[in-house]
Amino acid sequence: MSQNKTPDSKPAPSGEKLQKVLARAGFGSRREMETAITAGRVKVNGKLASLGDRVEPRDSVAFDERPVTLKAEQETPRRVIMYNKPEGELCTRKDPEGRRTVFERLPRLKGERWIAIGRLDINTSGLLLFTTDGELANRLMHPSTQVEREYAVRVMGEVKQENVVAMVEGVMLEDGPARFTDVQEFGGEGINTWFHVVLLEGRNREVRRLWESQALTVSRLKRVRYGNIFLDKRAKAGEWVELGQDEVDDLAALADLPARKVPELTPEEKNRWSRDKNKRRPVQAMRKPKTKRPRR
């Protein structure tokens, strides 16, 4: 026992929190793993796990009765892809109503899962990031990290200076105070004007609700930036692209995580990802079929 400890002091807990280890293994976000543990889907050493359990490398963990390979943080692959979400897709893995989900469009992984870094509602398009590193996803989404999210917004109605000032200074919504850190006008036609706005959190429909607090309606909404990653021409609507080492390292720095080498795709993965990219093009499928002209 260390001399600094009093006789009745408790030893520091050993191991890592179970939900953190599962998230790092790619089974989902920490919040999703907490839900899975509560639902009785996780076992440690053959017994049902509880929230607050901690595990060490020697422990045996199973998720939905399947064994989990426990990896040290530095051993976890860190891949990130940028996806350009079209309107009409849901940010969920499965939809009971059979509607399209963003996960249906992503390249398939073996032994890992894509974890969404934030969400967009069904009527919002634009930049979504996915990673295989649960800790990176958790930190980038956490409000304490203060990561900027930038949106292009088309607003219907007359926007007055006092409306902009109110949204920057902050308004009270039903779930607490909210504000934009920046609002820039980008012009428009008629009753519609485009703006770019910046948030430091990602609450449900927060951009729309801020404008609605000023009796203004958002007619189009598209996320164009998350942290230091800008949506660009590499990914058209409904397409994804893997981020390079420098971009992934910049995201890790935002999350206060050490840099880690992005693993190279194996020949099998390259072939599989290429096939997935070629066959998963929702924009093409959304176009109306051309009407055939009757033959003369």
Side-chain angles (χ1 to χ4, degrees):
M1 180 179 293
S2 168
Q3 294 181 352
N4 294 329
K5 291 183 179 179
T6 59
D8 58 347
S9 64
K10 294 181 180 179
S14 61
E16 290 186 280
K17 288 185 178 179
L18 179 57
Q19 62 266 32
K20 180 179 179 181
V21 173
L22 290 170
R24 188 167 66 222
F27 285 92
S29 67
R30 280 199 203 178
R31 185 173 297 179
E32 289 172 330
M33 293 304 95
E34 289 172 356
T35 302
I37 293 168
T38 304
R41 299 172 61 190
V42 183
K43 290 182 178 180
V44 177
N45 299 325
K47 298 180 180 179
L48 283 179
S50 303
L51 276 180
D53 284 354
R54 305 177 81 93
V55 294
E56 297 183 357
R58 65 174 180 268
D59 290 317
S60 173
V61 179
F63 185 89
D64 288 341
E65 302 298 336
R66 292 178 299 173
V68 176
T69 301
L70 303 185
K71 298 177 180 178
E73 190 168 344
Q74 63 271 20
E75 296 174 352
T76 306
R78 180 182 289 160
R79 285 189 170 125
V80 182
I81 57 174
M82 173 174 65
Y83 179 65
N84 189 348
K85 175 190 174 297
E87 294 179 10
E89 289 186 353
L90 294 171
C91 289
T92 184
R93 294 189 186 275
K94 291 184 180 179
D95 178 57
E97 300 178 25
R99 292 171 294 182
R100 283 200 313 268
T101 76
V102 293
F103 287 95
E104 296 172 16
R105 309 298 175 184
L106 306 184
R108 291 166 294 166
L109 294 168
K110 281 191 175 182
E112 297 175 296
R113 299 176 82 185
W114 290 117
I115 303 167
I117 302 175
R119 301 165 66 90
L120 295 175
D121 66 43
I122 190 170
N123 296 317
T124 301
S125 64
L127 174 63
L128 271 175
L129 295 175
F130 295 86
T131 182
T132 55
D133 185 349
E135 183 63 16
L136 177 66
N138 182 70
R139 292 203 186 188
L140 289 175
M141 288 187 288
H142 201 279
S144 64
T145 311
Q146 297 281 283
V147 177
E148 290 186 342
R149 289 95 157 154
E150 183 176 344
Y151 297 81
V153 191
R154 190 176 71 184
V155 180
M156 187 168 61
E158 183 184 359
V159 180
K160 299 178 181 178
Q161 182 63 23
E162 51 262 38
N163 301 134
V164 175
V165 171
M167 292 185 291
V168 171
E169 291 183 347
V171 299
M172 184 61 68
L173 303 178
E174 58 267 28
D175 54 353
R179 61 183 289 265
F180 293 130
T181 59
D182 190 29
V183 178
Q184 298 289 334
E185 183 177 343
F186 274 71
E189 296 180 357
I191 61 172
N192 292 299
T193 307
W194 282 97
F195 291 85
H196 275 224
V197 299
V198 177
L199 281 173
L200 291 177
E201 55 186 356
R203 283 188 274 164
N204 185 40
R205 298 186 70 254
E206 190 170 1
V207 174
R208 296 180 190 274
R209 290 188 291 140
L210 273 164
W211 286 99
E212 288 167 2
S213 74
Q214 306 302 304
L216 294 163
T217 302
V218 172
S219 55
R220 290 285 301 277
L221 182 58
K222 182 175 186 177
R223 185 154 69 194
V224 296
R225 178 169 65 91
Y226 197 104
N228 54 347
I229 305 300
F230 287 83
L231 185 65
D232 56 35
K233 294 180 180 180
R234 288 178 294 174
K236 298 178 182 178
E239 297 182 352
W240 50 265
V241 64
E242 185 174 18
L243 299 187
Q245 186 70 57
D246 290 343
E247 293 170 306
V248 175
D249 288 349
D250 287 344
L251 283 172
L254 275 179
D256 197 23
L257 289 171
R260 194 183 305 154
K261 182 174 174 57
V262 175
E264 294 184 8
L265 292 174
T266 65
E268 179 192 357
E269 287 173 327
K270 287 181 180 178
N271 289 333
R272 187 170 69 247
W273 284 34
S274 178
R275 290 195 302 269
D276 288 346
K277 179 166 284 190
N278 289 332
K279 73 180 181 182
R280 302 184 184 204
R281 297 185 183 274
V283 175
Q284 297 292 333
M286 289 169 63
R287 290 177 180 171
K288 294 182 179 180
K290 294 181 179 179
T291 55
K292 294 183 178 180
R293 294 181 180 178
R295 294 182 178 178
R296 294 181 180 178

